[in-house]
Amino acid sequence: MADKKTEAKESADAPGPLSAKAYEKELARLHVELVKLQEWVVQTGAKVCVVFEGRDGAGKGGTIKALTERVSPRVFRVIALPAPTEREKTQMYLQRYLPHLPAAGEVVIFDRSWYNRAGVERVMGFCSEEQVTAFLKAAPLVERAIVESGIILLKYWLEVSEDEQTRRLEARIQDGRKTWKLTGMDLESYSRWYDYSRARDDMFAATDTGFAPWFVARSNSKKNVRLNIISHLLHSIPYEAMPRKKVSLPKRQKPDGYREPDYSYKFVPEKF
């Protein structure tokens, strides 16, 4: 990956943060396209798998929310697995992820994925270097099988600068809405910036393949990175608008003698 000088130049060359109005306008347009994608996936039986990885505080959750907030959760399924159970710890490492891969007519989004082994597990000492080496050899083989089965696989890495990560994590300490996002693990991870950098570099070297490449998104601006990733995802999938029947509301039935009952409803207090 680029050094600080290169990153600073790339950041300077990137467009500035969008205004709220411009962001909402473009997001609304992209949401329409995501609905078209959803209809195409359902009608054609396509299978899409999207992997989100990145540094803590890089904005994965917000990007996934922006991507999924206007589509059906029955089609766009978000997978965020908890820590493995004692039984799962004895399985082949990738085994617990495979059942969540998409079937026909589904888009599966992994909020962190099998790449936990190459990142947090490695840096925090939850696995051995031998296990990491075995994973980095196996992952491309498994991903080739995934792609050859007909699944469209997209892998995104969200990269945030050191200063911006610090700002966001400090904001979680102060904001009562975000304190749940900051765990002891996050604090420990924060102190290991360069260990994560080395782990990321090794991961890219082993798993950035022609059939399943990594796409890196600079995420110092949350609005920009959400739009950039959604736009890239849409351009990476050969969807098209599917034919739709014209929809109009039918006439409501007549009351046919119905009257509202004289019932003492327990209304929610109207404080607003």
Side-chain angles (χ1 to χ4, degrees):
M1 293 294 290
D3 58 23
K4 282 193 171 183
K5 187 178 292 185
T6 304
E7 289 176 354
K9 182 180 184 302
E10 290 175 344
S11 180
D13 293 340
L18 292 169
S19 67
K21 183 177 180 180
Y23 169 73
E24 292 296 339
K25 181 179 179 180
E26 182 61 15
L27 184 61
R29 186 189 71 81
L30 292 175
H31 280 160
V32 172
E33 293 302 312
L34 286 168
V35 170
K36 293 178 184 177
L37 170 63
Q38 174 177 269
E39 293 172 345
W40 176 82
V41 165
V42 170
Q43 292 189 40
T44 64
K47 299 176 287 185
V48 180
C49 180
V50 186
V51 169
F52 280 97
E53 294 287 343
R55 294 186 185 273
D56 291 331
K60 295 179 294 297
T63 301
I64 292 170
K65 182 179 179 182
L67 174 61
T68 59
E69 63 183 346
R70 296 294 181 176
V71 290
S72 170
R74 290 182 293 276
V75 178
F76 280 71
R77 296 193 294 111
V78 178
I79 306 299
L81 296 183
T85 64
E86 291 304 313
R87 179 178 183 274
E88 288 171 334
K89 289 177 182 178
T90 69
Q91 295 175 342
M92 181 184 78
Y93 176 72
L94 284 157
Q95 186 173 340
R96 77 185 189 120
Y97 293 96
L98 298 181
H100 299 283
L101 291 174
E106 294 180 342
V107 178
V108 169
I109 298 168
F110 281 95
D111 184 355
R112 293 201 181 274
S113 66
W114 47 91
Y115 282 103
N116 275 340
R117 172 132 296 179
V120 63
E121 290 188 17
R122 181 182 192 179
V123 172
M124 302 305 294
F126 296 151
C127 63
S128 67
E129 283 300 310
E130 290 76 14
Q131 288 174 313
V132 173
T133 299
F135 168 77
L136 293 177
K137 288 181 180 178
L141 301 176
V142 173
E143 289 175 3
R144 181 181 285 279
I146 289 172
V147 171
E148 290 180 350
S149 76
I151 293 174
I152 298 171
L153 176 60
L154 295 169
K155 303 187 302 189
Y156 292 105
W157 175 274
L158 277 67
E159 186 65 34
V160 66
S161 69
E162 293 181 66
D163 290 344
E164 181 61 15
Q165 185 192 57
T166 298
R167 189 192 69 77
R168 291 180 186 179
L169 295 183
E170 286 180 341
R172 293 180 183 180
I173 297 172
Q174 304 299 328
D175 191 335
R177 299 167 298 175
K178 299 178 180 179
T179 52
W180 64 273
K181 291 184 175 183
L182 193 62
T183 66
M185 183 71 67
D186 295 326
L187 296 174
E188 182 69 22
S189 297
Y190 173 79
S191 68
R192 303 190 183 194
W193 175 273
Y194 291 105
D195 286 344
Y196 272 101
S197 295
R198 295 183 185 95
R200 174 203 60 196
D201 296 346
D202 289 347
M203 182 186 78
F204 282 1
T207 64
D208 185 19
T209 59
F211 53 85
W214 278 103
F215 296 102
V216 179
R218 290 193 293 264
S219 64
N220 276 8
S221 169
K222 292 180 180 180
K223 293 185 178 71
N224 292 47
V225 75
R226 292 167 189 172
L227 299 182
N228 287 335
I229 287 178
I230 295 173
S231 178
H232 182 272
L233 182 148
L234 288 166
H235 280 91
S236 300
I237 300 173
Y239 76 99
E240 57 187 28
M242 306 302 288
R244 273 189 192 172
K245 293 181 180 179
K246 187 176 181 180
V247 178
S248 58
L249 293 175
K251 290 183 179 179
R252 278 207 176 111
Q253 63 181 165
K254 295 181 180 180
D256 196 21
Y258 176 80
R259 294 181 181 180
E260 290 286 345
D262 184 15
Y263 185 81
S264 180
Y265 291 105
K266 298 174 181 64
F267 286 104
V268 173
E270 296 181 344
K271 296 182 178 180
F272 307 98

